[in-house]
Amino acid sequence: MVEEYSLAATAAVVVVLLLEFCLLRTGLFKRPAYWVTMAIVLGFQVPVDGWLTKLDAPVVLYADWAITGVRVPWDIPVEDFLYGFAMVTAVLLLWERGRLAREQA
């Protein structure tokens, strides 16, 4: 069966990458500040998501059919990292595109 959350999270990453490389072209991925930002996000995501998804006392439950079952530190489904990357990156890309548009006006 298709893992729905896995598919959606992967599709979100692909859409964000296509958005940047084919449409927006902000150059965000070339900036060290972007990668520092992503490291900060990851630094908060791991303990919070780890607490929410820990298998011994989960707050958030995932249906087995919705995810791959691959879990990295503290039982966090790998899909959560994909989704987090796509969500944060999409916001930053749109923010940057807006800034560039204002500068050109």
Side-chain angles (χ1 to χ4, degrees):
M1 178 173 254
V2 174
E3 292 86 5
E4 289 181 12
Y5 184 39
S6 303
L7 183 61
T10 302
V13 169
V14 170
V15 167
V16 166
L17 293 174
L18 289 172
L19 186 66
E20 169 59 5
F21 293 125
C22 298
L23 184 64
L24 299 177
R25 296 184 178 146
T26 66
L28 187 67
F29 296 134
K30 296 177 185 174
R31 297 188 190 152
Y34 167 74
W35 296 105
V36 169
T37 299
M38 293 309 289
I40 292 168
V41 168
L42 190 64
F44 284 96
Q45 181 181 3
V46 168
V48 172
D49 206 344
W51 177 75
L52 290 172
T53 61
K54 62 186 174 206
L55 292 175
D56 61 341
V59 175
V60 177
L61 296 171
Y62 294 94
D64 290 336
W65 53 264
I67 62 173
T68 61
V70 176
R71 292 176 176 258
V72 285
W74 296 316
D75 303 323
I76 303 168
V78 70
E79 293 86 353
D80 284 3
F81 293 106
L82 296 173
Y83 175 73
F85 169 84
M87 180 179 59
V88 171
T89 301
V91 169
L92 292 174
L93 287 172
L94 294 174
W95 185 287
E96 184 62 14
R97 183 64 173 161
R99 184 188 69 77
L100 294 171
R102 283 189 305 276
E103 285 180 0
Q104 293 174 355

